[in-house]
Amino acid sequence: MSEFVTLSEAVSRWVHAGDRVALEGFTHLIPFAAGHEIIRQRIGDLTLIRMTPDLIFDQMIGAGCARKLIFSWGGNPGVGSLHRLRDAVERQWPRPLEIEEHSHSAMAHAYAAGAAGMPAAFFRGYRGSDLPKVNPNIKFIACPFTGESLAAVPALRPDVTIVHAQKADRRGNVRFEGIIGVQKEAVLAARHAIVTVEEIVDRLSDEGSNDVILPSWTIDAIVVAPGGARPSYAHGYYQRDNAFYVAWDAIARDRDTFQQWMDAHVHSGGKGSA
Amino acid sequence: MSEFVTLSEAVSRWVHAGDRVALEGFTHLIPFAAGHEIIRQRIGDLTLIRMTPDLIFDQMIGAGCARKLIFSWGGNPGVGSLHRLRDAVERQWPRPLEIEEHSHSAMAHAYAAGAAGMPAAFFRGYRGSDLPKVNPNIKFIACPFTGESLAAVPALRPDVTIVHAQKADRRGNVRFEGIIGVQKEAVLAARHAIVTVEEIVDRLSDEGSNDVILPSWTIDAIVVAPGGARPSYAHGYYQRDNAFYVAWDAIARDRDTFQQWMDAHVHSGGKGSA
Amino acid sequence: MNASSGTYTATEMMTIAAARALTNRDVCFVGIGLPSAACNLARMTHAPDLALLYESGTLETRPRVLPLSIGDGELCETALTTVSVPEMFQYWLQGERITVGFLSGAQVDRFGNLNSTVIGDYAAPKVRLPGSGGATEIATGCQRIYLVMRHHPRTFVERLSFQTSLGHGPTGRERRALGVRTAGPVLLVTDLCVMTPYAETNEFEVVALHPGVTREQVIAATGWPVQFAERVDETPAPTSVELEALRDLHARTAAAHGAVVTE
Amino acid sequence: MNASSGTYTATEMMTIAAARALTNRDVCFVGIGLPSAACNLARMTHAPDLALLYESGTLETRPRVLPLSIGDGELCETALTTVSVPEMFQYWLQGERITVGFLSGAQVDRFGNLNSTVIGDYAAPKVRLPGSGGATEIATGCQRIYLVMRHHPRTFVERLSFQTSLGHGPTGRERRALGVRTAGPVLLVTDLCVMTPYAETNEFEVVALHPGVTREQVIAATGWPVQFAERVDETPAPTSVELEALRDLHARTAAAHGAVVTE
């Protein structure tokens, strides 16, 4: 059963140094507030998992939280590079970063396999790509019926998954709307789950619906964090801050301007809740 | 792109003797009207595919349409046996019926694999069951990462899938509501798809929704067939006729009463449309 | 099977004893029939937060009447949400999110293995039963399995015609050998008694007799030489609260379905 | 790269030439950037029923402005419906429901293989690029692949640093050997020309030069000894309808995003 707690408590109870931590949200509903709290609590040695690292992992990697990154597309969408990610991979700053690199299809299948309790995902993938040469976690099996070669990757099983959603009800059930990405699978694949939400409501949806809802008993902690996905967006609540995504390119390009920005906007902020 | 046609045209154009035909709908939205049209057109030698054969396959099997049945639970829900199915299996009447028997989990995975373009489905199943001893389409593979034994079944790839839905819009997109079962997967797994619907509407859903909708370009034929799921039900339109499910037990128990019922209610009915 | 014992029937005792095994924190995968009555009774009495899932995809459903089928509209209308059937089997059952699976069958053996496929030879069956449905993977995917079945020598058998669903296996020891991590059947409630597996053998033995039931009745109704635990309790008789809730549920159900409902 | 040729830029010519390749019956998996502009231009001009899918799960989306990212709210708000990302990759892409996949990359070779992973050695890269994203399985899952890239010798290379996505393979013949049934890259539109694979070798050759572009310009901008088809046409210049639609789209986009948008 989920508990309603502060962001600071959620992160300190369920995120530990060395954990495998997934923060999902496909462009939409990226859990920035929670990522910043991890940075503030200086939790390190993490294996960070995310299909699209985006600015949040650029910040966490630049802040030194990550030992390893599992990902499938590491850019600033529509803008260009993630400079802190590149600095870590190309120049080991602020520390070396091990990478496990996949395609989107593989990551999506691996989360779904984790949610489904499978040890691995099997799919038609990686044909003719060099990625299997550099990632030993990509293997191939023969279909027992047709003999076709199929790709296999281990299921993703984060120690904790953190996502942001629009609404929770008072019983701690959570609803996702709009671009729902891989959030449901990432939560169900994890040992523990933290969900930050825009607000608590009395009723999540109409009777007899097929809405995307996770029951309370699949979640450990719910944190009310209005604006917790900014500068990404929350469908029905606020828009993506595209200008900030563009501005980030200049901020992150230089180690000093990055650290100044982090000091001013992350380390100084958020005591106890978002 | 889907075409709007009559039931009679849909069945004669897309269902042929010898085809593998799935009629899905999990208790809810069972495409009875379409099944009756197949019986009226006396299309035979079919491989019928359905997780829960229900009354519709009892009728089609009793009418002699089926050469083979692929299924996972063949009862009259809450009532008892499907007597026409039993008569075919136990006493080869009106003709011998080959059966390929699975569990629900296997059938659901096999449809999903068909929808996903996979040759087979891989899942954690059939452990300790005798079903693999009697169904050569159940195999096991070793997980390439953990060595765990995992079940494999061939993907289901019907020649044609027939389902019933609440609504189509004028462009031929279709929305499913309520208990959605395995209909989406069954349609996407098939070479051709026929959808019978309660009504045509101007607008299927609100802006920005996650509703269960199949685009026009995944469907061949749309047939307006109000009541086309009776005596099963259509969420938002009409209730399940539970009394008929109970009454069917006596009708189907005897070959003569079955044939009289079929003559009176199926063969005499539905010319050209439902 | 309406042998009344005082002011309640044996079936009522069975349903109530089964309902008592469920707790407020359980997440339960519900089969139709006896399990459905027991699960909803528990939810309507001592376990209001019990989460019930049916294989039709309804998550946390709260039906006001018992469904006739596993996919009745009532289940969807009162659910937290309804997911697809593949999702139900992939993320919820196989994902091991379910604490209790409630099963029944046409035959059970001493190790809680179930047959719901055929009586007689598979290729030329004497009786063709409905088949597995969800049972095969429910039996291995849920953390624990509770069984509810009417006691009868043709049902409680020495040897299954067909093993549809794994209990503790033909020798009582197969789960671990097959790599199955879940506990399997830990409770068997009948209209005569309550049984649990003896720790060393996994053979189901009688741990409680329902009020008024004798050991001889159980022995006569069991197709194998049934064992009794060192200490055999008497099942507490139904309370008036339990009985009233169960009878109200059945009355509402009969009124809603407008027809007899087999249980 | 704003070399204007008359009253339109080379980038406008490229986008318009790419848009023309799409038909009203196509179902198109759209990458961000150049592909997105071309696909939406086609939808707004000659192919109003063109179905656009973005990997964020938006089915048949009709954005009024170009998205900055692949998951902008605009895509969801104007979609027929929005599915999960696993479903998008399982049922829609891998299910081979898509007729055209539009891709770009940091490097392309003569056989349409793409690199979007690293420049230099993988373990110690000179430049770490974003990586595959959806591209690896888009390249094999869609019936046909159209490529749109700016022509430059560092982009059109003799040898890729890393083969992220399969075109016709390192020798032009690998698709069939790998059991891939889809056609792969059949069109490459640049800011200088239009290229298609020569049937016998699958090597991309120039089949049309954009107005005012010379063979020498193409040769200078290509990192391999580029071939020209026996007959080389001139790409029809943008019509005023095409140009106006594209410029309106960019103007609406700039207004909506309130910032510069890289294309």
Side-chain angles (χ1 to χ4, degrees):
Chain A
M1 285 296 166
S2 55
E3 294 177 49
F4 289 89
V5 298
T6 63
L7 186 53
S8 144
E9 182 183 348
V11 166
S12 64
R13 276 176 66 186
W14 283 288
V15 184
H16 305 105
D19 276 358
R20 293 164 61 89
V21 183
L23 280 81
E24 279 297 345
F26 203 84
T27 303
H28 181 214
L29 295 173
I30 300 177
F32 273 93
H36 290 176
E37 183 62 27
I38 292 172
I39 293 170
R40 277 192 295 273
Q41 294 192 16
R42 302 189 186 281
I43 303 174
D45 258 342
L46 300 175
T47 292
L48 294 179
I49 309 173
R50 196 174 148 72
M51 291 179 66
T52 56
D54 204 89
L55 272 48
I56 185 60
F57 274 16
D58 213 35
Q59 293 168 0
M60 293 175 77
I61 289 165
C65 297
R67 181 184 71 72
K68 180 177 174 181
L69 173 68
I70 302 177
F71 78 112
S72 45
W73 192 83
N76 181 345
V79 178
S81 290
L82 293 176
H83 297 288
R84 296 296 95 226
L85 167 58
R86 283 185 57 180
D87 207 11
V89 172
E90 296 170 11
R91 288 174 297 276
Q92 293 77 50
W93 189 92
R95 52 174 294 181
L97 180 70
E98 185 188 342
I99 63 172
E100 177 178 335
E101 183 168 6
H102 286 282
S103 66
H104 274 356
S105 182
M107 290 278 285
H109 276 91
Y111 273 123
M118 287 283 284
F122 304 93
F123 62 110
R124 185 175 285 131
Y126 286 127
R127 292 178 298 174
S129 172
D130 285 343
L131 281 165
K133 298 180 187 167
V134 297
N135 181 345
N137 265 343
I138 302 168
K139 297 190 177 185
F140 293 88
I141 64 159
C143 172
F145 298 100
T146 65
E148 180 183 347
S149 174
L150 297 168
V153 293
L156 280 169
R157 298 277 202 168
D159 293 308
V160 57
T161 286
I162 306 176
V163 296
H164 188 76
Q166 281 98 341
K167 300 180 179 87
D169 67 17
R170 293 182 200 288
R171 295 169 49 86
N173 306 301
V174 167
R175 175 167 176 197
F176 301 85
E177 295 167 79
I179 290 177
I180 51 179
V182 74
Q183 282 98 309
K184 183 177 193 170
E185 288 76 12
V187 165
L188 294 178
R191 285 200 303 126
H192 297 292
I194 300 171
V195 183
T196 57
V197 297
E198 289 296 324
E199 62 171 335
I200 310 286
V201 297
D202 287 325
R203 191 180 169 76
L204 286 181
S205 65
D206 292 336
E207 200 171 80
S209 82
N210 305 110
D211 293 328
V212 183
I213 292 177
L214 282 173
S216 176
W217 38 273
T218 62
I219 299 166
D220 293 276
I222 295 180
V223 177
V224 180
R230 289 185 195 277
S232 79
Y233 73 105
H235 177 87
Y237 289 79
Y238 44 87
Q239 304 267 314
R240 190 167 187 266
D241 186 352
N242 284 327
F244 183 79
Y245 273 80
V246 174
W248 181 254
D249 189 72
I251 296 167
R253 202 177 277 271
D254 177 86
R255 291 174 189 171
D256 289 337
T257 56
F258 166 73
Q259 287 187 312
Q260 283 158 20
W261 189 91
M262 293 295 283
D263 285 343
H265 296 92
V266 178
H267 289 294
S268 67
K271 290 283 169 279
S273 78
Chain B
M1 284 295 166
S2 56
E3 295 177 48
F4 290 90
V5 298
T6 64
L7 186 51
S8 144
E9 183 182 347
V11 167
S12 63
R13 275 177 65 186
W14 282 289
V15 184
H16 305 104
D19 276 357
R20 294 165 60 90
V21 183
L23 279 80
E24 279 297 345
F26 203 84
T27 302
H28 182 214
L29 295 174
I30 301 178
F32 273 92
H36 289 175
E37 183 61 28
I38 292 173
I39 293 171
R40 277 193 294 274
Q41 293 193 15
R42 302 187 186 282
I43 303 174
D45 260 342
L46 299 176
T47 292
L48 293 179
I49 309 173
R50 196 174 147 72
M51 292 179 66
T52 57
D54 204 87
L55 273 49
I56 185 59
F57 274 15
D58 213 34
Q59 294 169 359
M60 294 175 78
I61 289 165
C65 297
R67 181 184 71 72
K68 180 176 175 182
L69 173 68
I70 302 177
F71 78 112
S72 45
W73 192 84
N76 181 343
V79 178
S81 290
L82 293 176
H83 297 290
R84 297 296 95 224
L85 168 57
R86 284 186 55 181
D87 207 11
V89 172
E90 296 169 11
R91 289 173 296 277
Q92 294 76 52
W93 189 93
R95 52 174 295 180
L97 181 69
E98 184 188 343
I99 63 172
E100 176 176 335
E101 184 167 5
H102 286 283
S103 67
H104 274 356
S105 182
M107 289 277 285
H109 277 91
Y111 274 123
M118 287 282 284
F122 303 93
F123 62 111
R124 185 176 284 132
Y126 286 127
R127 291 178 299 174
S129 172
D130 284 343
L131 281 165
K133 297 179 187 167
V134 297
N135 181 345
N137 265 343
I138 301 169
K139 298 190 178 184
F140 292 88
I141 64 158
C143 171
F145 298 99
T146 66
E148 180 183 348
S149 173
L150 297 168
V153 293
L156 281 169
R157 298 277 200 167
D159 293 309
V160 57
T161 286
I162 306 177
V163 296
H164 187 75
Q166 282 98 341
K167 300 179 178 88
D169 67 16
R170 294 181 199 287
R171 295 171 49 87
N173 305 301
V174 167
R175 175 167 175 197
F176 301 85
E177 294 168 81
I179 289 177
I180 50 178
V182 73
Q183 282 99 307
K184 184 177 191 169
E185 288 76 12
V187 165
L188 294 178
R191 285 201 301 127
H192 297 292
I194 299 171
V195 183
T196 58
V197 297
E198 290 295 325
E199 62 171 335
I200 309 286
V201 297
D202 287 326
R203 191 178 169 75
L204 287 180
S205 65
D206 291 337
E207 200 171 79
S209 83
N210 304 109
D211 294 327
V212 182
I213 293 176
L214 282 173
S216 175
W217 38 273
T218 62
I219 299 165
D220 293 276
I222 295 180
V223 177
V224 180
R230 291 187 194 276
S232 80
Y233 73 105
H235 178 88
Y237 289 79
Y238 44 87
Q239 304 267 312
R240 190 168 187 266
D241 186 353
N242 284 326
F244 183 80
Y245 273 81
V246 174
W248 181 254
D249 189 72
I251 296 166
R253 202 176 277 271
D254 178 87
R255 292 175 188 171
D256 289 339
T257 57
F258 165 73
Q259 287 187 312
Q260 283 157 21
W261 190 91
M262 293 294 282
D263 286 343
H265 296 91
V266 177
H267 289 294
S268 68
K271 290 284 169 281
S273 79
Chain C
M1 274 289 166
N2 276 323
S4 171
S5 168
T7 58
Y8 53 90
T9 67
T11 298
E12 285 172 338
M13 180 72 258
M14 169 169 59
T15 305
I16 288 166
R20 288 172 182 160
L22 293 163
T23 76
N24 210 26
R25 294 185 72 84
D26 276 322
V27 177
C28 185
F29 204 100
V30 188
I32 216 66
L34 291 169
S36 183
C39 291
N40 282 291
L41 177 62
R43 187 176 56 78
M44 288 165 174
T45 54
H46 66 282
D49 294 331
L50 172 64
L52 303 184
L53 283 65
Y54 287 72
E55 63 194 10
S56 54
T58 52
L59 294 186
E60 261 192 67
T61 181
R62 302 171 167 272
R64 292 150 292 210
V65 302
L66 294 177
L68 184 68
S69 84
I70 217 134
D72 274 22
E74 174 80 6
L75 295 174
C76 171
E77 283 154 23
T78 61
L80 178 63
T81 191
T82 299
V83 302
S84 74
V85 165
E87 178 177 324
M88 178 54 78
F89 282 96
Q90 290 169 342
Y91 295 172
W92 302 93
L93 178 60
Q94 188 174 270
E96 297 187 0
R97 289 275 161 191
I98 319 287
T99 63
V100 177
F102 241 109
L103 287 176
S104 199
Q107 292 182 331
V108 65
D109 70 15
R110 71 187 70 191
F111 299 114
N113 304 297
L114 293 175
N115 172 23
S116 52
T117 303
V118 288
I119 306 293
D121 180 55
Y122 184 81
K126 197 168 140 225
V127 182
R128 174 64 235 195
L129 300 165
S132 163
T136 300
E137 282 77 20
I138 291 172
T140 54
C142 300
Q143 289 171 31
R144 301 184 298 286
I145 296 296
Y146 297 167
L147 304 173
V148 210
M149 292 173 69
R150 289 205 173 74
H151 227 125
H152 193 286
R154 277 207 305 268
T155 308
F156 285 60
V157 297
E158 179 67 40
R159 193 183 172 78
L160 303 177
S161 289
F162 190 94
Q163 184 166 302
T164 312
S165 308
L166 179 68
H168 296 286
T171 73
R173 309 225 159 274
E174 277 76 10
R175 288 185 86 84
R176 200 162 295 176
L178 288 164
V180 180
R181 297 169 297 197
T182 51
V186 295
L187 180 72
L188 168 52
V189 178
T190 83
D191 48 352
L192 300 179
C193 64
V194 175
M195 305 173 81
T196 60
Y198 180 61
E200 288 178 30
T201 61
N202 282 326
E203 176 175 333
F204 273 94
E205 59 177 16
V206 179
V207 294
L209 293 165
H210 297 336
V213 174
T214 65
R215 290 187 179 219
E216 290 65 36
Q217 280 179 277
V218 174
I219 290 166
T222 308
W224 68 82
V226 63
Q227 304 296 307
F228 291 80
E230 237 178 285
R231 172 180 155 185
V232 175
D233 293 323
E234 182 176 276
T235 311
T239 67
S240 58
V241 170
E242 289 168 331
L243 263 185
E244 204 171 303
L246 179 59
R247 288 171 184 175
D248 282 357
L249 176 59
H250 280 309
R252 280 200 305 280
T253 300
H257 292 166
V260 287
V261 174
T262 64
E263 190 191 312
Chain D
M1 274 288 167
N2 277 321
S4 173
S5 170
T7 57
Y8 53 89
T9 67
T11 297
E12 285 172 337
M13 180 73 258
M14 169 169 60
T15 304
I16 289 167
R20 289 173 182 161
L22 293 163
T23 76
N24 210 27
R25 295 185 71 85
D26 277 321
V27 177
C28 185
F29 204 99
V30 188
I32 216 66
L34 291 170
S36 184
C39 291
N40 281 291
L41 177 62
R43 186 176 58 75
M44 289 166 173
T45 53
H46 66 281
D49 294 331
L50 172 64
L52 303 184
L53 284 64
Y54 287 72
E55 63 194 9
S56 54
T58 52
L59 295 186
E60 260 193 66
T61 182
R62 301 171 168 274
R64 291 150 294 212
V65 302
L66 293 177
L68 185 66
S69 84
I70 218 135
D72 274 21
E74 173 80 6
L75 294 175
C76 172
E77 284 155 23
T78 60
L80 178 62
T81 192
T82 299
V83 302
S84 74
V85 164
E87 178 177 324
M88 178 54 77
F89 283 97
Q90 290 169 342
Y91 295 172
W92 302 94
L93 178 59
Q94 188 174 271
E96 297 187 358
R97 290 274 162 191
I98 319 287
T99 63
V100 176
F102 241 109
L103 288 175
S104 198
Q107 292 182 330
V108 64
D109 69 15
R110 72 187 70 191
F111 299 113
N113 303 297
L114 293 175
N115 173 23
S116 52
T117 303
V118 288
I119 306 292
D121 181 54
Y122 184 81
K126 196 167 141 225
V127 181
R128 174 65 236 193
L129 301 165
S132 163
T136 300
E137 282 78 19
I138 292 172
T140 55
C142 300
Q143 290 171 30
R144 302 184 297 287
I145 296 296
Y146 297 167
L147 304 173
V148 208
M149 292 173 69
R150 289 203 174 75
H151 228 124
H152 193 285
R154 277 207 304 270
T155 307
F156 284 61
V157 297
E158 178 68 39
R159 194 182 171 78
L160 303 177
S161 289
F162 190 94
Q163 184 166 302
T164 311
S165 309
L166 179 67
H168 297 286
T171 72
R173 309 226 158 273
E174 277 76 10
R175 289 184 84 85
R176 200 162 294 177
L178 288 163
V180 179
R181 296 170 299 199
T182 51
V186 295
L187 180 72
L188 169 50
V189 178
T190 82
D191 49 351
L192 300 180
C193 64
V194 175
M195 304 173 81
T196 61
Y198 179 61
E200 288 178 31
T201 60
N202 282 325
E203 176 175 332
F204 273 94
E205 59 176 16
V206 178
V207 294
L209 292 166
H210 296 337
V213 174
T214 64
R215 291 189 179 218
E216 290 63 37
Q217 280 178 279
V218 175
I219 291 167
T222 308
W224 69 81
V226 63
Q227 304 296 306
F228 291 80
E230 236 177 288
R231 173 179 154 186
V232 175
D233 293 323
E234 182 176 276
T235 312
T239 66
S240 58
V241 171
E242 289 167 332
L243 261 185
E244 202 171 304
L246 179 59
R247 288 171 183 175
D248 282 357
L249 176 60
H250 280 308
R252 281 199 305 280
T253 299
H257 292 165
V260 286
V261 174
T262 64
E263 189 193 314

